[in-house]
Amino acid sequence: MRFKSKVFLAPMAEVNDPAFRILCSKYGAGLTWTEMISSSALARNEKNKLFNVQKNENPIAVQLMGNNLEDISKAVKIVSKKADVVDFNMGCPIHKIVNSGCGAALLKDPEKVKQIVETLVSSTKKPVSVKIRSGWDDKSINILQIAKIIEDNGASMIIVHPKTRVQLKSGNPDWGLIKKVKEKLSIPVIGNGGINKPEDVKKMFSETECDYVMIARAASKNPYIFTQVKQYLKNGGYEKENPEKIVFDYLKLVKKYKPSLNYIKLHVTYFTKGLRGSNQFRTELSKIKSLDEIENKLNGFFK
Ligand SMILES: Cc1cc2nc3c(=O)[nH]c(=O)nc-3n(C[C@H](O)[C@H](O)[C@H](O)COP(=O)(O)O)c2cc1C
């Protein structure tokens, strides 16, 4: 596949509503991701509210998680109708997910990884990608073995977030492991973890030689980072983001794609964080019950 940029928006549960994804795409993200969707829930009910891909979202990657092969196959067939890339989560570290044998728990079971990738690939004509961590803990770093199984069974891309499950969100990602995966595999490698500013993207490309870079938290605070990365890679400099423009660009898309108030409040809080009066604004926002009220408050905030 060809993308307009080599820098992508990472999957983020309870963050990546369609309006936010489209905003990132308008600002230059080469590919955006849905939130993680349970394949078993989707197999039971095709109308899952997280499977909310919009007509003009292309390219889009839809991320599934799970461990039941029959449900995975059904879910892949459903998402393939709208996804440009079918992605599978083998990295989620949260207790509820790993305790049910999904997400990063799969890294402990290479045979299951093989079966899942075979199932994914045989259930769709779309490219399949898999998102992995380095291993379960620092004594069981098996990323190279897992990555090879993923490639050998037909995946078209791999996303490497080089932290163990036990690290959760703490510690630094080990970019050296992205480089090792890149050296070992022939399929494109997407590096992820620890990008805070455009300079980090350049550093990740040059240190790891990965094919693409994926950004999560920094993009949730500043989706304009995708434009800044483009400017930085071209000219070595970039313009500062304008939070007011980001907020109102997002609101325009919100009116069209109508995410729930929780998403809107979360994004508006992130985009205004650190600005003068933002703490007080956040408290007021939490009590608001309509989009009109949010818009009025924002007009007042930026006056
Ligand atoms: C709020 C939040 C939700 C996330 N949800 C998902 C998810 O649904 N699927 C997934 O594969 N990773 C998820 N992640 C992990 C990110 O995609 C990414 O791997 C991680 O945050 C490291 O990238 P970063 O350093 O750019 O934030 C989530 C991260 C955050 C902060």
Side-chain angles (χ1 to χ4, degrees):
M1 281 185 80
R2 289 186 65 80
F3 304 99
K4 68 178 177 196
S5 153
K6 292 183 172 197
V7 187
F8 302 159
L9 172 70
M12 281 184 282
E14 295 172 18
V15 176
N16 287 14
D17 70 78
F20 177 67
R21 296 193 303 253
I22 292 170
L23 183 68
C24 291
S25 177
K26 282 183 187 296
Y27 286 160
L31 179 62
T32 65
W33 251 255
T34 65
E35 307 182 36
M36 172 173 86
I37 308 171
S38 156
S39 44
S40 295
L42 193 61
R44 275 195 303 276
N45 178 13
E46 205 167 310
K47 295 205 165 59
N48 189 304
K49 67 179 189 316
L50 297 180
F51 181 41
N52 50 17
V53 173
Q54 307 296 310
K55 279 199 186 74
N56 56 346
E57 285 194 278
N58 50 359
I60 176 98
V62 177
Q63 189 185 60
L64 294 171
M65 68 87 168
N67 71 357
N68 176 305
L69 298 179
E70 209 176 305
D71 288 348
I72 291 171
S73 177
K74 277 189 200 159
V76 168
K77 287 178 182 138
I78 294 168
V79 302
S80 294
K81 293 177 204 159
K82 293 185 178 172
D84 299 291
V85 174
V86 177
D87 181 50
F88 195 83
N89 182 305
M90 295 193 185
C92 181
I94 63 179
H95 288 277
K96 200 175 77 182
I97 302 292
V98 294
N99 288 346
S100 59
C102 303
L106 292 165
L107 303 174
K108 294 199 274 190
D109 189 348
E111 178 54 32
K112 188 79 187 196
V113 170
K114 177 175 184 293
Q115 290 168 3
I116 290 179
V117 180
E118 275 171 356
T119 304
L120 293 165
V121 172
S122 63
S123 306
T124 184
K125 291 197 173 73
K126 298 289 173 73
V128 165
S129 63
V130 181
K131 184 162 178 275
I132 57 171
R133 285 191 172 231
S134 356
W136 183 258
D137 59 21
D138 59 5
K139 294 193 182 60
S140 56
I141 293 184
N142 59 350
I143 187 168
L144 294 180
Q145 179 200 6
I146 296 287
K148 190 78 177 87
I149 292 171
I150 290 169
E151 174 171 86
D152 287 348
N153 287 283
S156 302
M157 285 198 295
I158 189 160
I159 302 126
V160 178
H161 179 206
K163 280 190 184 180
T164 63
R165 183 271 160 183
V166 169
Q167 274 184 294
L168 296 165
K169 288 182 181 165
S170 69
N172 291 323
D174 178 356
W175 287 5
L177 289 174
I178 302 177
K179 187 174 166 62
K180 285 191 178 149
V181 172
K182 177 64 196 165
E183 280 163 4
K184 193 170 174 85
L185 302 196
S186 320
I187 56 173
V189 174
I190 305 175
N192 168 239
I195 301 292
N196 296 310
K197 50 188 187 309
E199 292 87 331
D200 298 332
V201 172
K202 188 167 182 193
K203 207 163 162 230
M204 184 183 269
F205 276 130
S206 67
E207 284 183 15
T208 71
E209 290 174 48
C210 63
D211 301 276
Y212 305 101
V213 167
M214 172 189 260
I215 311 176
R217 288 164 298 178
S220 67
K221 293 174 208 143
N222 169 26
Y224 197 70
I225 193 169
F226 294 106
T227 302
Q228 293 171 324
V229 168
K230 194 173 162 201
Q231 293 171 345
Y232 184 72
L233 295 179
K234 197 166 169 218
N235 317 315
Y238 54 92
E239 61 185 351
K240 203 175 154 25
E241 68 276 14
N242 173 351
E244 181 176 357
K245 179 162 171 24
I246 294 172
V247 164
F248 287 101
D249 282 353
Y250 175 64
L251 276 196
K252 251 186 241 156
L253 294 165
V254 158
K255 286 180 191 160
K256 189 160 177 200
Y257 299 104
K258 302 187 173 37
S260 74
L261 282 187
N262 287 347
Y263 288 91
I264 305 170
K265 287 181 184 181
L266 177 118
H267 288 299
V268 167
T269 303
Y270 281 3
F271 300 160
T272 53
K273 200 169 175 186
L275 300 180
R276 194 193 303 179
S278 61
N279 286 348
Q280 164 76 15
F281 178 70
R282 191 170 62 235
T283 313
E284 291 170 12
L285 198 63
S286 65
K287 297 177 197 137
I288 287 181
K289 296 205 168 54
S290 76
L291 177 58
D292 284 347
E293 273 180 273
I294 295 180
E295 194 168 11
N296 285 341
K297 276 266 172 256
L298 281 166
N299 283 326
F301 182 77
F302 284 107
K303 204 156 63 186

PDB file of all heavy atoms in Angstrom, residues 69-80 86 115-126 128:
ATOM      1  N   LEU A  69     -10.919 -18.245  17.493  1.00  0.00           N
ATOM      2  CA  LEU A  69     -10.625 -18.215  16.057  1.00  0.00           C
ATOM      3  C   LEU A  69     -11.877 -18.050  15.190  1.00  0.00           C
ATOM      4  O   LEU A  69     -11.864 -17.333  14.182  1.00  0.00           O
ATOM      5  CB  LEU A  69      -9.875 -19.478  15.643  1.00  0.00           C
ATOM      6  CG  LEU A  69      -8.502 -19.694  16.313  1.00  0.00           C
ATOM      7  CD1 LEU A  69      -7.872 -20.993  15.846  1.00  0.00           C
ATOM      8  CD2 LEU A  69      -7.557 -18.515  16.048  1.00  0.00           C
ATOM      9  N   GLU A  70     -12.953 -18.703  15.613  1.00  0.00           N
ATOM     10  CA  GLU A  70     -14.193 -18.602  14.826  1.00  0.00           C
ATOM     11  C   GLU A  70     -14.717 -17.158  14.838  1.00  0.00           C
ATOM     12  O   GLU A  70     -15.084 -16.604  13.801  1.00  0.00           O
ATOM     13  CB  GLU A  70     -15.232 -19.516  15.472  1.00  0.00           C
ATOM     14  CG  GLU A  70     -16.256 -20.068  14.507  1.00  0.00           C
ATOM     15  CD  GLU A  70     -17.156 -21.042  15.249  1.00  0.00           C
ATOM     16  OE1 GLU A  70     -16.630 -21.998  15.861  1.00  0.00           O
ATOM     17  OE2 GLU A  70     -18.362 -20.797  15.243  1.00  0.00           O
ATOM     18  N   ASP A  71     -14.705 -16.538  16.036  1.00  0.00           N
ATOM     19  CA  ASP A  71     -15.170 -15.150  16.143  1.00  0.00           C
ATOM     20  C   ASP A  71     -14.234 -14.206  15.377  1.00  0.00           C
ATOM     21  O   ASP A  71     -14.678 -13.252  14.735  1.00  0.00           O
ATOM     22  CB  ASP A  71     -15.219 -14.708  17.618  1.00  0.00           C
ATOM     23  CG  ASP A  71     -16.366 -15.378  18.357  1.00  0.00           C
ATOM     24  OD1 ASP A  71     -17.233 -15.972  17.689  1.00  0.00           O
ATOM     25  OD2 ASP A  71     -16.379 -15.318  19.598  1.00  0.00           O
ATOM     26  N   ILE A  72     -12.934 -14.483  15.464  1.00  0.00           N
ATOM     27  CA  ILE A  72     -11.973 -13.622  14.760  1.00  0.00           C
ATOM     28  C   ILE A  72     -12.265 -13.669  13.256  1.00  0.00           C
ATOM     29  O   ILE A  72     -12.335 -12.637  12.589  1.00  0.00           O
ATOM     30  CB  ILE A  72     -10.518 -14.052  15.068  1.00  0.00           C
ATOM     31  CG1 ILE A  72     -10.184 -13.738  16.534  1.00  0.00           C
ATOM     32  CG2 ILE A  72      -9.524 -13.359  14.131  1.00  0.00           C
ATOM     33  CD1 ILE A  72      -8.856 -14.299  17.022  1.00  0.00           C
ATOM     34  N   SER A  73     -12.488 -14.869  12.737  1.00  0.00           N
ATOM     35  CA  SER A  73     -12.743 -14.999  11.305  1.00  0.00           C
ATOM     36  C   SER A  73     -14.014 -14.227  10.913  1.00  0.00           C
ATOM     37  O   SER A  73     -14.021 -13.487   9.915  1.00  0.00           O
ATOM     38  CB  SER A  73     -12.871 -16.484  10.955  1.00  0.00           C
ATOM     39  OG  SER A  73     -13.176 -16.607   9.600  1.00  0.00           O
ATOM     40  N   LYS A  74     -15.075 -14.380  11.735  1.00  0.00           N
ATOM     41  CA  LYS A  74     -16.324 -13.651  11.420  1.00  0.00           C
ATOM     42  C   LYS A  74     -16.086 -12.139  11.470  1.00  0.00           C
ATOM     43  O   LYS A  74     -16.530 -11.394  10.600  1.00  0.00           O
ATOM     44  CB  LYS A  74     -17.390 -13.987  12.474  1.00  0.00           C
ATOM     45  CG  LYS A  74     -18.133 -15.267  12.202  1.00  0.00           C
ATOM     46  CD  LYS A  74     -19.306 -15.360  13.181  1.00  0.00           C
ATOM     47  CE  LYS A  74     -19.759 -16.800  13.289  1.00  0.00           C
ATOM     48  NZ  LYS A  74     -20.518 -17.092  14.507  1.00  0.00           N
ATOM     49  N   ALA A  75     -15.391 -11.695  12.506  1.00  0.00           N
ATOM     50  CA  ALA A  75     -15.167 -10.249  12.687  1.00  0.00           C
ATOM     51  C   ALA A  75     -14.323  -9.690  11.540  1.00  0.00           C
ATOM     52  O   ALA A  75     -14.577  -8.588  11.040  1.00  0.00           O
ATOM     53  CB  ALA A  75     -14.501  -9.984  14.030  1.00  0.00           C
ATOM     54  N   VAL A  76     -13.329 -10.453  11.114  1.00  0.00           N
ATOM     55  CA  VAL A  76     -12.470  -9.981  10.009  1.00  0.00           C
ATOM     56  C   VAL A  76     -13.321  -9.785   8.748  1.00  0.00           C
ATOM     57  O   VAL A  76     -13.172  -8.783   8.030  1.00  0.00           O
ATOM     58  CB  VAL A  76     -11.317 -10.977   9.743  1.00  0.00           C
ATOM     59  CG1 VAL A  76     -10.605 -10.648   8.440  1.00  0.00           C
ATOM     60  CG2 VAL A  76     -10.331 -10.975  10.892  1.00  0.00           C
ATOM     61  N   LYS A  77     -14.232 -10.718   8.513  1.00  0.00           N
ATOM     62  CA  LYS A  77     -15.087 -10.597   7.309  1.00  0.00           C
ATOM     63  C   LYS A  77     -15.958  -9.342   7.404  1.00  0.00           C
ATOM     64  O   LYS A  77     -16.172  -8.647   6.417  1.00  0.00           O
ATOM     65  CB  LYS A  77     -15.938 -11.849   7.136  1.00  0.00           C
ATOM     66  CG  LYS A  77     -15.080 -13.013   6.664  1.00  0.00           C
ATOM     67  CD  LYS A  77     -15.829 -14.303   6.523  1.00  0.00           C
ATOM     68  CE  LYS A  77     -14.851 -15.394   6.093  1.00  0.00           C
ATOM     69  NZ  LYS A  77     -15.034 -16.654   6.757  1.00  0.00           N
ATOM     70  N   ILE A  78     -16.433  -9.048   8.610  1.00  0.00           N
ATOM     71  CA  ILE A  78     -17.279  -7.855   8.790  1.00  0.00           C
ATOM     72  C   ILE A  78     -16.455  -6.580   8.554  1.00  0.00           C
ATOM     73  O   ILE A  78     -16.831  -5.708   7.773  1.00  0.00           O
ATOM     74  CB  ILE A  78     -17.906  -7.841  10.206  1.00  0.00           C
ATOM     75  CG1 ILE A  78     -18.890  -9.010  10.351  1.00  0.00           C
ATOM     76  CG2 ILE A  78     -18.610  -6.502  10.486  1.00  0.00           C
ATOM     77  CD1 ILE A  78     -19.344  -9.273  11.787  1.00  0.00           C
ATOM     78  N   VAL A  79     -15.290  -6.487   9.219  1.00  0.00           N
ATOM     79  CA  VAL A  79     -14.542  -5.220   9.112  1.00  0.00           C
ATOM     80  C   VAL A  79     -13.921  -5.034   7.729  1.00  0.00           C
ATOM     81  O   VAL A  79     -13.688  -3.908   7.300  1.00  0.00           O
ATOM     82  CB  VAL A  79     -13.461  -5.053  10.225  1.00  0.00           C
ATOM     83  CG1 VAL A  79     -14.076  -5.113  11.600  1.00  0.00           C
ATOM     84  CG2 VAL A  79     -12.315  -6.004  10.079  1.00  0.00           C
ATOM     85  N   SER A  80     -13.693  -6.157   7.034  1.00  0.00           N
ATOM     86  CA  SER A  80     -13.065  -6.043   5.710  1.00  0.00           C
ATOM     87  C   SER A  80     -13.921  -5.256   4.725  1.00  0.00           C
ATOM     88  O   SER A  80     -13.414  -4.743   3.725  1.00  0.00           O
ATOM     89  CB  SER A  80     -12.780  -7.429   5.131  1.00  0.00           C
ATOM     90  OG  SER A  80     -11.805  -8.051   5.917  1.00  0.00           O
ATOM     91  N   VAL A  86      -6.624  -4.573   8.032  1.00  0.00           N
ATOM     92  CA  VAL A  86      -7.205  -5.250   9.199  1.00  0.00           C
ATOM     93  C   VAL A  86      -6.064  -5.488  10.182  1.00  0.00           C
ATOM     94  O   VAL A  86      -5.108  -6.203   9.879  1.00  0.00           O
ATOM     95  CB  VAL A  86      -7.857  -6.591   8.800  1.00  0.00           C
ATOM     96  CG1 VAL A  86      -8.395  -7.299  10.042  1.00  0.00           C
ATOM     97  CG2 VAL A  86      -8.975  -6.368   7.783  1.00  0.00           C
ATOM     98  N   GLN A 115      -1.897 -19.510  14.815  1.00  0.00           N
ATOM     99  CA  GLN A 115      -3.278 -19.832  14.413  1.00  0.00           C
ATOM    100  C   GLN A 115      -4.074 -18.548  14.131  1.00  0.00           C
ATOM    101  O   GLN A 115      -4.851 -18.485  13.183  1.00  0.00           O
ATOM    102  CB  GLN A 115      -3.982 -20.605  15.529  1.00  0.00           C
ATOM    103  CG  GLN A 115      -3.452 -22.010  15.719  1.00  0.00           C
ATOM    104  CD  GLN A 115      -3.979 -22.639  17.014  1.00  0.00           C
ATOM    105  OE1 GLN A 115      -4.779 -22.058  17.730  1.00  0.00           O
ATOM    106  NE2 GLN A 115      -3.509 -23.842  17.305  1.00  0.00           N
ATOM    107  N   ILE A 116      -3.859 -17.545  14.971  1.00  0.00           N
ATOM    108  CA  ILE A 116      -4.615 -16.290  14.769  1.00  0.00           C
ATOM    109  C   ILE A 116      -4.213 -15.621  13.457  1.00  0.00           C
ATOM    110  O   ILE A 116      -5.070 -15.200  12.676  1.00  0.00           O
ATOM    111  CB  ILE A 116      -4.438 -15.335  15.981  1.00  0.00           C
ATOM    112  CG1 ILE A 116      -5.159 -15.903  17.199  1.00  0.00           C
ATOM    113  CG2 ILE A 116      -4.967 -13.927  15.650  1.00  0.00           C
ATOM    114  CD1 ILE A 116      -5.032 -15.072  18.461  1.00  0.00           C
ATOM    115  N   VAL A 117      -2.917 -15.562  13.195  1.00  0.00           N
ATOM    116  CA  VAL A 117      -2.482 -14.886  11.953  1.00  0.00           C
ATOM    117  C   VAL A 117      -2.986 -15.663  10.733  1.00  0.00           C
ATOM    118  O   VAL A 117      -3.479 -15.064   9.762  1.00  0.00           O
ATOM    119  CB  VAL A 117      -0.951 -14.660  11.926  1.00  0.00           C
ATOM    120  CG1 VAL A 117      -0.543 -13.952  10.638  1.00  0.00           C
ATOM    121  CG2 VAL A 117      -0.504 -13.841  13.131  1.00  0.00           C
ATOM    122  N   GLU A 118      -2.921 -16.983  10.799  1.00  0.00           N
ATOM    123  CA  GLU A 118      -3.469 -17.797   9.693  1.00  0.00           C
ATOM    124  C   GLU A 118      -4.950 -17.483   9.488  1.00  0.00           C
ATOM    125  O   GLU A 118      -5.417 -17.322   8.360  1.00  0.00           O
ATOM    126  CB  GLU A 118      -3.363 -19.295  10.046  1.00  0.00           C
ATOM    127  CG  GLU A 118      -2.024 -19.924   9.726  1.00  0.00           C
ATOM    128  CD  GLU A 118      -1.947 -21.348  10.303  1.00  0.00           C
ATOM    129  OE1 GLU A 118      -2.874 -21.805  11.004  1.00  0.00           O
ATOM    130  OE2 GLU A 118      -0.920 -21.975  10.065  1.00  0.00           O
ATOM    131  N   THR A 119      -5.672 -17.385  10.599  1.00  0.00           N
ATOM    132  CA  THR A 119      -7.113 -17.097  10.525  1.00  0.00           C
ATOM    133  C   THR A 119      -7.364 -15.712   9.935  1.00  0.00           C
ATOM    134  O   THR A 119      -8.229 -15.539   9.059  1.00  0.00           O
ATOM    135  CB  THR A 119      -7.749 -17.177  11.940  1.00  0.00           C
ATOM    136  OG1 THR A 119      -7.452 -18.453  12.475  1.00  0.00           O
ATOM    137  CG2 THR A 119      -9.248 -16.954  11.903  1.00  0.00           C
ATOM    138  N   LEU A 120      -6.603 -14.733  10.401  1.00  0.00           N
ATOM    139  CA  LEU A 120      -6.776 -13.362   9.897  1.00  0.00           C
ATOM    140  C   LEU A 120      -6.568 -13.337   8.386  1.00  0.00           C
ATOM    141  O   LEU A 120      -7.397 -12.820   7.624  1.00  0.00           O
ATOM    142  CB  LEU A 120      -5.759 -12.418  10.558  1.00  0.00           C
ATOM    143  CG  LEU A 120      -5.884 -12.138  12.064  1.00  0.00           C
ATOM    144  CD1 LEU A 120      -4.602 -11.485  12.594  1.00  0.00           C
ATOM    145  CD2 LEU A 120      -7.089 -11.246  12.338  1.00  0.00           C
ATOM    146  N   VAL A 121      -5.442 -13.899   7.971  1.00  0.00           N
ATOM    147  CA  VAL A 121      -5.048 -13.798   6.562  1.00  0.00           C
ATOM    148  C   VAL A 121      -6.003 -14.581   5.661  1.00  0.00           C
ATOM    149  O   VAL A 121      -6.344 -14.129   4.557  1.00  0.00           O
ATOM    150  CB  VAL A 121      -3.577 -14.264   6.396  1.00  0.00           C
ATOM    151  CG1 VAL A 121      -3.187 -14.362   4.928  1.00  0.00           C
ATOM    152  CG2 VAL A 121      -2.641 -13.313   7.136  1.00  0.00           C
ATOM    153  N   SER A 122      -6.474 -15.729   6.160  1.00  0.00           N
ATOM    154  CA  SER A 122      -7.347 -16.533   5.293  1.00  0.00           C
ATOM    155  C   SER A 122      -8.789 -16.006   5.279  1.00  0.00           C
ATOM    156  O   SER A 122      -9.601 -16.471   4.494  1.00  0.00           O
ATOM    157  CB  SER A 122      -7.325 -18.004   5.728  1.00  0.00           C
ATOM    158  OG  SER A 122      -7.838 -18.093   7.032  1.00  0.00           O
ATOM    159  N   SER A 123      -9.101 -15.034   6.146  1.00  0.00           N
ATOM    160  CA  SER A 123     -10.482 -14.532   6.193  1.00  0.00           C
ATOM    161  C   SER A 123     -10.683 -13.234   5.421  1.00  0.00           C
ATOM    162  O   SER A 123     -11.781 -12.675   5.403  1.00  0.00           O
ATOM    163  CB  SER A 123     -10.908 -14.294   7.650  1.00  0.00           C
ATOM    164  OG  SER A 123     -10.716 -15.453   8.410  1.00  0.00           O
ATOM    165  N   THR A 124      -9.612 -12.694   4.832  1.00  0.00           N
ATOM    166  CA  THR A 124      -9.745 -11.404   4.143  1.00  0.00           C
ATOM    167  C   THR A 124      -8.773 -11.288   2.973  1.00  0.00           C
ATOM    168  O   THR A 124      -7.721 -11.934   2.971  1.00  0.00           O
ATOM    169  CB  THR A 124      -9.498 -10.232   5.129  1.00  0.00           C
ATOM    170  OG1 THR A 124      -9.727  -8.992   4.455  1.00  0.00           O
ATOM    171  CG2 THR A 124      -8.089 -10.234   5.707  1.00  0.00           C
ATOM    172  N   LYS A 125      -9.152 -10.418   2.032  1.00  0.00           N
ATOM    173  CA  LYS A 125      -8.205 -10.094   0.946  1.00  0.00           C
ATOM    174  C   LYS A 125      -7.448  -8.824   1.301  1.00  0.00           C
ATOM    175  O   LYS A 125      -6.531  -8.409   0.593  1.00  0.00           O
ATOM    176  CB  LYS A 125      -8.967  -9.890  -0.354  1.00  0.00           C
ATOM    177  CG  LYS A 125      -9.584 -11.156  -0.908  1.00  0.00           C
ATOM    178  CD  LYS A 125      -9.967 -10.964  -2.391  1.00  0.00           C
ATOM    179  CE  LYS A 125     -10.435 -12.241  -3.022  1.00  0.00           C
ATOM    180  NZ  LYS A 125     -11.785 -12.651  -2.568  1.00  0.00           N
ATOM    181  N   LYS A 126      -7.876  -8.144   2.358  1.00  0.00           N
ATOM    182  CA  LYS A 126      -7.221  -6.896   2.766  1.00  0.00           C
ATOM    183  C   LYS A 126      -5.887  -7.199   3.453  1.00  0.00           C
ATOM    184  O   LYS A 126      -5.721  -8.278   4.032  1.00  0.00           O
ATOM    185  CB  LYS A 126      -8.129  -6.123   3.743  1.00  0.00           C
ATOM    186  CG  LYS A 126      -9.460  -5.697   3.155  1.00  0.00           C
ATOM    187  CD  LYS A 126      -9.287  -4.602   2.139  1.00  0.00           C
ATOM    188  CE  LYS A 126     -10.536  -4.220   1.378  1.00  0.00           C
ATOM    189  NZ  LYS A 126     -11.538  -3.480   2.093  1.00  0.00           N
ATOM    190  N   VAL A 128      -3.208  -7.480   6.248  1.00  0.00           N
ATOM    191  CA  VAL A 128      -3.343  -7.719   7.687  1.00  0.00           C
ATOM    192  C   VAL A 128      -2.090  -7.199   8.387  1.00  0.00           C
ATOM    193  O   VAL A 128      -0.968  -7.433   7.931  1.00  0.00           O
ATOM    194  CB  VAL A 128      -3.500  -9.234   7.953  1.00  0.00           C
ATOM    195  CG1 VAL A 128      -3.283  -9.569   9.430  1.00  0.00           C
ATOM    196  CG2 VAL A 128      -4.876  -9.713   7.491  1.00  0.00           C
TER     197      VAL A 128
END
